[in-house]
Amino acid sequence: MKFTYCPHCGTKADKKEIGDEGLITFCTKCNVPLWDMFTTCIIAAVVNEEREVALLRQNYLSAETYVCVSGIMKIGESAEETAVREIKEEIGLDVTDLKFMKSYPYEKKEMLMLGFKAVVKKAEFKLSQEVDAVKWFKFEDALSQIREGSIAWQLVKSVIEEN
């Protein structure tokens, strides 16, 4: 999100030279820089003890390819807490081990996605209303189910290569 008006006082923002940052949107009334903002999200490659990854379909995203569990961080929640919560909410599984893998800027949607490997015990899925389907895929078959080059594909590829 880029500011045109100050979110604190409503004054139209100006540009101001700030150190090495260059011209930054600035509120002269509040005397504060208005940095561009992005939404912070998690994305998780959920894996089990049988070297499988849980991939899901959300038809509002795509009816052809699978994706990883993902979700927006809530205020006051750590990235780790978000990952555990989203996995429980979306596919009904409890995380036994969680490892941060990498951050992925997603400029198209103004998001920063924090990628995790989440280990769970293989069990029956309990889907949320926002998930249309979920399936376990063997590591060797998983990448062909995800849109090549996507953030989910990059994350799953990293998790597979690590194991």
Side-chain angles (χ1 to χ4, degrees), residues 80-139:
E80 293 81 4
E81 290 167 336
T82 303
V84 169
R85 175 183 54 77
E86 286 289 346
I87 292 164
K88 185 69 171 180
E89 284 177 4
E90 289 189 6
I91 61 174
L93 300 179
D94 294 311
V95 175
T96 60
D97 191 35
L98 189 67
K99 177 185 178 189
F100 175 75
M101 297 294 289
K102 182 181 176 187
S103 62
Y104 302 89
Y106 189 11
E107 291 182 48
K108 180 180 172 184
K109 293 197 176 181
E110 296 183 342
M111 294 178 168
L112 176 64
M113 301 192 82
L114 305 177
F116 288 91
K117 171 187 172 184
V119 179
V120 300
K121 297 254 187 246
K122 188 170 183 176
E124 290 283 321
F125 296 114
K126 295 178 190 121
L127 305 186
S128 80
Q129 292 180 347
E130 65 185 73
V131 176
D132 295 297
V134 65
K135 185 176 174 183
W136 289 112
F137 289 94
K138 295 286 185 192
F139 281 1

Side-chain angles (χ1 to χ4, degrees), residues 17-28:
E17 187 83 28
I18 299 181
D20 295 336
E21 301 300 326
L23 282 177
I24 300 297
T25 306
F26 194 86
C27 178
T28 53

Side-chain angles (χ1 to χ4, degrees), residues 20-68:
D20 295 336
E21 301 300 326
L23 282 177
I24 300 297
T25 306
F26 194 86
C27 178
T28 53
K29 184 174 179 184
C30 295
N31 198 33
V32 296
L34 302 171
W35 303 102
D36 294 343
M37 296 178 64
F38 53 85
T39 303
T40 307
C41 307
I42 66 90
I43 183 166
V46 179
V47 300
N48 66 30
E49 67 279 7
E50 296 179 21
R51 296 179 49 81
E52 296 173 317
V53 60
L55 298 176
L56 49 105
R57 279 234 170 96
Q58 293 173 300
N59 289 338
Y60 71 92
L61 295 174
S62 172
E64 288 95 41
T65 58
Y66 286 86
V67 296
C68 291

